[in-house]
Amino acid sequence: MSDTNQMPREEGIDHSLSLMREGYMYILNRRHSFNSDIFETRLLGKKAICMVGKEAAEVFYDTEKFKRKDAAPNRAVQTLFGKNGVQALDGQDHKHRKDMFMSLMSPEGIQNLTNITKIQWETALNKWEQMDKVILYEEVKEIMCRTACQWAGVPLEEEDVKKMTKDLAAMFESPAAVGPNHWLGRNARNNVEKRIGELVDKVRNGEVKPPEDTALHRFAWHRDQEGNLLATNTASVEVINILRPIVAIAIFINFTALAVHHYPEEREKLESSDEKYAQMFVQEVRRFYPFFPFVVALVKKDFIWNGYKFEEGTLTLLDLYGTNHDHEIWENPDVFSPDRFAKWEGSPFSFIPQGGGDYFMGHRCAGEWVTIEIMKVSLDFLVKRMEYEVPDQDLSYSLVNIPSIPHSKLVIKNVKRKV
């Protein structure tokens, strides 16, 4: 008699197309049909395990059981992550590299970032007052690009802003794309890696001197555990791992504006409330709206969990969107309700819009604090510092397209500064 159970399994040769067709709902749909938080399928020609929920997240982030190295599909490496970045490391190598990122997340570093963000919003607001209409998603990507480059110590000439914004955005707008859009993402990454790599070399030979507390300075001079400087291209990839995710916050900011528009009673609360409610609102935006659908890892060694056998080398997907919408964790998960965060305990495995686990030891996104603070600044502008109209448009968003953004990209007009 075996002491393991047969994992629910999706029949068929390969389901990669289904994953692309169903997007954020792929794992959730099968969770419902199998009535199971775990099932086996085939993706990219290989056996894969899909999991969802708090318990699944806890085991997924157990570094004894799973590893990140070589887990991400090549197309994601070529667009989203880049080669040899922190996401692909394990063990002490990962911790050492992660510490490099966390060194930027000091209270002073975060305060500096929020100050830069405020100034960039002020500048944008001056511009928007002169415009007939503002396509919020496109404009906010530019705000985020300027903010990210300034905070990271990356020089950015005015004539380069649009190109840099477009290239950084193409990296996260293209991983799930096929054909021309995927190639746009690959070309964009190659362009930016080359440019940042040249900057890293200039920092090292003294031609460029970014402030010491910036990513460009710290990453250029970071030494690995053997005492060697990072390869130029690896340092470039890691600087981009600061820039790209900050530009991607434009997605969350767009959904923040959508929530403010869709829930006028929330807007009233925000106008009269303190920062605590703003934080709850931002957290609910991150929980409720789609951002990143899932994360991937490989089984490190054979183990049994909940009666199911996990074999070494098996690709495993953890459903982020599904866990944030899990009825077992959240009451009425498909209702937008910031108040749910008033008494939230803060488990690192139940609320995982940008991945789960521990910041310092695990693979939880080092930029999560950055995301929250930038979203709070942006929310403050959208609610308390500017007035605008939202004309009729298609504000629906797809749970198939990855990443998802409202179809109209949220157009606003008659923008005025509140006096």
Side-chain angles (χ1 to χ4, degrees), residues 159-294:
E159 61 266 25
D160 295 335
V161 172
K162 287 214 169 350
K163 173 91 169 75
M164 188 65 143
T165 303
K166 188 179 173 193
D167 281 350
L168 287 168
M171 293 180 201
F172 60 79
E173 289 173 348
S174 67
V178 286
N181 285 346
H182 176 70
W183 288 99
L184 273 177
R186 286 179 71 160
N187 287 335
R189 171 161 285 284
N190 293 341
N191 292 341
V192 183
E193 278 188 14
K194 181 169 181 286
R195 178 173 172 177
I196 303 292
E198 287 166 359
L199 270 174
V200 168
D201 287 339
K202 286 179 177 174
V203 171
R204 289 174 177 173
N205 66 26
E207 284 178 68
V208 173
K209 292 191 166 79
E212 287 188 10
D213 59 351
T214 60
L216 181 58
H217 181 276
R218 292 209 177 156
F219 295 7
W221 294 113
H222 177 77
R223 292 185 181 274
D224 66 19
Q225 295 195 94
E226 281 73 53
N228 303 314
L229 291 173
L230 297 176
T232 298
N233 195 60
T234 302
S236 169
V237 164
E238 299 298 38
V239 172
I240 294 167
N241 272 331
I242 293 288
L243 303 179
R244 183 203 68 250
I246 291 178
V247 177
I249 299 170
I251 296 171
F252 273 144
I253 294 170
N254 225 45
F255 281 128
T256 302
L258 186 68
V260 167
H261 175 64
H262 272 163
Y263 306 103
E265 69 285 358
E266 292 294 340
R267 183 184 190 118
E268 285 176 25
K269 284 189 206 170
L270 287 164
E271 282 172 344
S272 59
S273 70
D274 58 5
E275 195 186 335
K276 182 168 189 282
Y277 195 76
Q279 169 113 359
M280 286 156 52
F281 186 90
V282 159
Q283 294 290 53
E284 180 65 348
V285 168
R286 295 174 66 234
R287 184 200 70 80
F288 183 79
Y289 292 100
F291 186 61
F292 215 72
F294 47 77

Side-chain angles (χ1 to χ4, degrees), residues 140-160:
V140 172
K141 279 194 289 189
E142 200 170 291
I143 293 176
M144 292 295 103
C145 178
R146 292 172 185 272
T147 299
C149 288
Q150 189 178 336
W151 189 58
V154 172
L156 187 63
E157 300 296 331
E158 190 57 37
E159 61 266 25
D160 295 335

Side-chain angles (χ1 to χ4, degrees), residues 294-310:
F294 47 77
V295 281
V296 297
L298 295 174
V299 177
K300 196 169 177 180
K301 59 186 181 189
D302 290 7
F303 70 92
I304 292 169
W305 177 74
N306 282 4
Y308 296 120
K309 185 169 186 190
F310 287 70

Side-chain angles (χ1 to χ4, degrees), residues 304-322:
I304 292 169
W305 177 74
N306 282 4
Y308 296 120
K309 185 169 186 190
F310 287 70
E311 292 177 340
E312 183 180 338
T314 306
L315 179 68
T316 306
L317 285 69
L318 174 68
D319 186 350
L320 302 182
Y321 180 78

Side-chain angles (χ1 to χ4, degrees), residues 16-28:
S16 306
L17 282 175
S18 301
L19 177 63
M20 295 177 83
R21 271 201 301 266
E22 297 174 52
Y24 294 88
M25 298 304 292
Y26 172 80
I27 296 176
L28 274 182

